[in-house]
Amino acid sequence: MSSFRKHRSELRRTRLDVVSRSAPMEGVLTVPEEAGDGVHATRERRLPLVICCHGFTDSLHGTADVADHLAALGLATYRFTFNGGWAGADMTGMSVLTEVEDLEAVLDAARAGAAAGAGPWAGIDPERIALLGKSQGGAVAVRAVGLLDGPSA
């Protein structure tokens, strides 16, 4: 068993799909349990968010261990499956550029939800968002880094 998994019971996971290119992308927002629901979080108590991008032919499950580990350290994480990005899907319409579009949709959703201060994104600090990528997801994160503001880029 991975050492990352030892904190699983201390985390709260919320299924949270984001729409990109007219199709929903399955996603999971993970926060430390002690963060609460985030709705009443003050600016100082909002959590930094790490968006986890999976590799080629993988899915959100490919970044689960690292996302859970980061959440156990006190960060919020969001992992998702790019449109067409899992083995068995029709991958003919996907590329690094379409995955950057998908990632941009996630960034837009996280920022809008955090700004609204309601729903699952309420406890996220929209000014402290970082990108993490595995394999092709790393290439996507590097291409998309210009979409971030500030030192997280």
Side-chain angles (χ1 to χ4, degrees):
M1 176 179 279
S2 169
S3 62
F4 289 158
R5 295 186 188 275
K6 68 181 180 179
H7 301 291
R8 292 181 81 80
S9 62
E10 302 164 8
L11 305 176
R12 186 169 31 87
R13 291 170 197 76
T14 303
R15 169 79 184 261
L16 185 58
D17 296 350
V18 171
V19 175
S20 176
R21 298 180 286 130
S22 302
M25 299 182 296
E26 180 182 6
V28 175
L29 178 66
T30 305
V31 297
E33 190 64 50
E34 63 269 12
D37 64 7
V39 173
H40 303 290
T42 63
R43 180 168 168 70
E44 295 77 27
R45 293 200 54 201
R46 287 186 166 197
L47 297 174
L49 174 66
V50 179
I51 299 172
C52 303
C53 304
H54 65 77
F56 187 65
T57 73
D58 207 345
S59 70
L60 63 90
H61 304 294
T63 56
D65 279 351
V66 70
D68 284 354
H69 183 71
L70 291 171
L73 294 173
L75 304 171
T77 62
Y78 182 75
R79 55 192 169 89
F80 67 103
T81 301
F82 290 110
N83 279 324
W86 51 274
D90 178 9
M91 297 172 17
T92 57
M94 69 177 279
S95 69
V96 169
L97 297 179
T98 61
E99 290 182 353
V100 169
E101 287 180 52
D102 293 346
L103 179 53
E104 186 171 12
V106 170
L107 283 164
D108 289 347
R111 288 178 176 144
W121 301 108
I124 302 303
D125 184 341
E127 296 179 16
R128 295 189 296 163
I129 298 176
L131 305 177
L132 177 145
K134 176 181 174 184
S135 189
Q136 183 166 312
V140 171
V142 168
R143 290 276 309 196
V145 78
L147 301 171
L148 294 175
D149 298 323
S152 295

